Amino acid sequence: MRVTFLGSGTSTGVPVVGCSCSVCRSTDSRNVRLRQSALVELDGKVILIDTTPDLRTQLLRFPVDWIDCILFTHAHADHIMGLDDVRPFNFFHRKPIVAFANHWTAAGIRRAFSYIWADTQPGGGKPQIDLRVVEAAFDHEGISVTPIPVTHGRWEIFGYRIGDFAYITDTDGIPEASRALLEGLEVLALDGLRPGPPHPTHFTIPQAIDVALEIGAKQTWLMHLSHDVDHGVVESTLPETLRLAYDGLVLEIA
């Protein structure tokens, strides 16, 4: 399995528009963060996690010629608003892309992109998406995927586990039933917004460290990072089994 972090940043991206802080002016490439998303490549299949507003830029940097499915975590703008940019895959392959989400996320996507499902605009003017609601583990073309329900403020959203890799973005809590689905991980990608102060819908980095050590993956990568995170400074404070993700990070997982 190969995992590519297409983006590692929070909803504003980094640099933040209008900000002149030291991280937004940093020359460290790891402090330049597109919105959070990832590609998972396994057994010849390509899985995209979320369609950020930066998706076109991300897929030009890390090109693939097809997406076998999209896994949506939730329907906030920074995780769905690039959906229209999958249209070229439809042009070239002449078939819909399958996407999976929970009930609330699917409803949010259908509201935000109502034109996709409206009986209008024939031809190539809109993406072709086969959006399917899932609530439990499922297989897609031979790949087993386990949704991991987590809290994001008042929302229940999904992380996902594929093999010994799990991806959990935008969370302030992982229920015990979901933690049981995370046993025996090789690699965990986990929300860690900033060093502090506490946030109502995201783990801070200290909170993420505690949760990661409890889950016990062999390696945890913190992601969805804000401009409060200077990569080199913050990473030097982390336990041995934790690191900060960055745009373009590629993981090879046996």
Side-chain angles (χ1 to χ4, degrees), residues 177-217:
S178 294
R179 294 196 185 202
L181 301 174
L182 299 171
E183 294 178 356
L185 287 176
E186 289 286 330
V187 178
L188 170 65
L190 181 64
D191 183 21
L193 180 68
R194 63 193 185 197
H199 191 279
T201 62
H202 289 267
F203 283 148
T204 62
I205 287 176
Q207 291 169 332
I209 290 171
D210 289 343
V211 170
L213 294 176
E214 291 169 2
I215 292 171

Side-chain angles (χ1 to χ4, degrees), residues 9-12 36 74 76 78-79 151-154 157 168-173 190-208 211 223-226:
T10 190
S11 58
T12 58
Q36 182 65 56
H74 63 300
H76 279 162
D78 55 319
H79 292 264
T151 59
H152 182 35
R154 296 180 179 180
I157 73 168
I168 301 175
T169 186
D170 286 49
T171 186
D172 61 336
L190 181 64
D191 183 21
L193 180 68
R194 63 193 185 197
H199 191 279
T201 62
H202 289 267
F203 283 148
T204 62
I205 287 176
Q207 291 169 332
V211 170
M223 59 183 183
H224 214 283
L225 308 173
S226 76

Side-chain angles (χ1 to χ4, degrees), residues 32 36-38 42 49-50 60 66 69 81 83 85 94 100 117 126 128 135 161 167 186 190 228 230 239 242 251:
V32 178
Q36 182 65 56
S37 61
L42 176 64
I49 304 179
D50 287 337
L60 288 174
W66 175 244
C69 71
M81 282 301 173
L83 180 57
D85 287 328
R94 299 183 181 276
F100 298 95
W117 291 275
K126 55 187 179 181
Q128 303 298 307
E135 300 296 344
R161 178 171 183 165
Y167 183 97
E186 289 286 330
L190 181 64
D228 299 300
D230 186 314
L242 278 83
L251 306 178

Side-chain angles (χ1 to χ4, degrees), residues 5-244:
F5 286 77
L6 301 178
S8 59
T10 190
S11 58
T12 58
V14 183
V16 177
V17 171
C19 184
S20 59
C21 74
S22 61
V23 174
C24 289
R25 292 183 290 109
S26 173
T27 58
D28 185 341
S29 62
R30 299 172 300 178
N31 285 333
V32 178
R33 303 175 179 121
L34 299 178
R35 268 65 74 92
Q36 182 65 56
S37 61
L39 283 174
V40 179
E41 298 171 79
L42 176 64
D43 294 342
K45 306 296 183 183
V46 179
I47 298 169
L48 173 65
I49 304 179
D50 287 337
T51 58
T52 81
D54 300 314
L55 184 64
R56 179 177 179 276
T57 296
Q58 292 168 332
L59 292 179
L60 288 174
R61 288 183 181 178
F62 306 100
V64 293
D65 60 12
W66 175 244
I67 294 171
D68 292 281
C69 71
I70 303 169
L71 304 179
F72 283 107
T73 62
H74 63 300
H76 279 162
D78 55 319
H79 292 264
I80 68 169
M81 282 301 173
L83 180 57
D84 202 75
D85 287 328
V86 305
R87 287 186 299 148
F89 295 116
N90 301 136
F91 300 162
F92 297 135
H93 292 268
R94 299 183 181 276
K95 62 180 179 178
I97 297 174
V98 178
F100 298 95
N102 70 14
H103 172 77
W104 298 110
T105 298
I109 293 168
R110 289 180 182 276
R111 282 194 302 272
F113 295 92
S114 59
Y115 65 91
I116 292 177
W117 291 275
D119 188 19
T120 59
Q121 204 175 352
K126 55 187 179 181
Q128 303 298 307
I129 304 295
D130 178 4
L131 182 58
R132 304 177 185 180
V133 173
V134 291
E135 300 296 344
F138 63 94
D139 285 354
H140 180 66
E141 297 187 357
I143 306 297
S144 296
V145 180
T146 302
I148 309 294
V150 300
T151 59
H152 182 35
R154 296 180 179 180
W155 286 25
E156 180 179 272
I157 73 168
F158 276 170
Y160 291 96
R161 178 171 183 165
I162 303 170
D164 289 333
F165 169 71
Y167 183 97
I168 301 175
T169 186
D170 286 49
T171 186
D172 61 336
I174 303 176
E176 287 302 317
S178 294
R179 294 196 185 202
L181 301 174
L182 299 171
E183 294 178 356
L185 287 176
E186 289 286 330
V187 178
L188 170 65
L190 181 64
D191 183 21
L193 180 68
R194 63 193 185 197
H199 191 279
T201 62
H202 289 267
F203 283 148
T204 62
I205 287 176
Q207 291 169 332
I209 290 171
D210 289 343
V211 170
L213 294 176
E214 291 169 2
I215 292 171
K218 291 184 179 179
Q219 185 71 57
T220 297
W221 295 87
L222 301 184
M223 59 183 183
H224 214 283
L225 308 173
S226 76
H227 69 154
D228 299 300
V229 179
D230 186 314
H231 191 107
V233 172
V234 173
E235 189 168 72
S236 68
T237 69
L238 298 179
E240 183 178 354
T241 58
L242 278 83
R243 291 291 180 269
L244 298 181

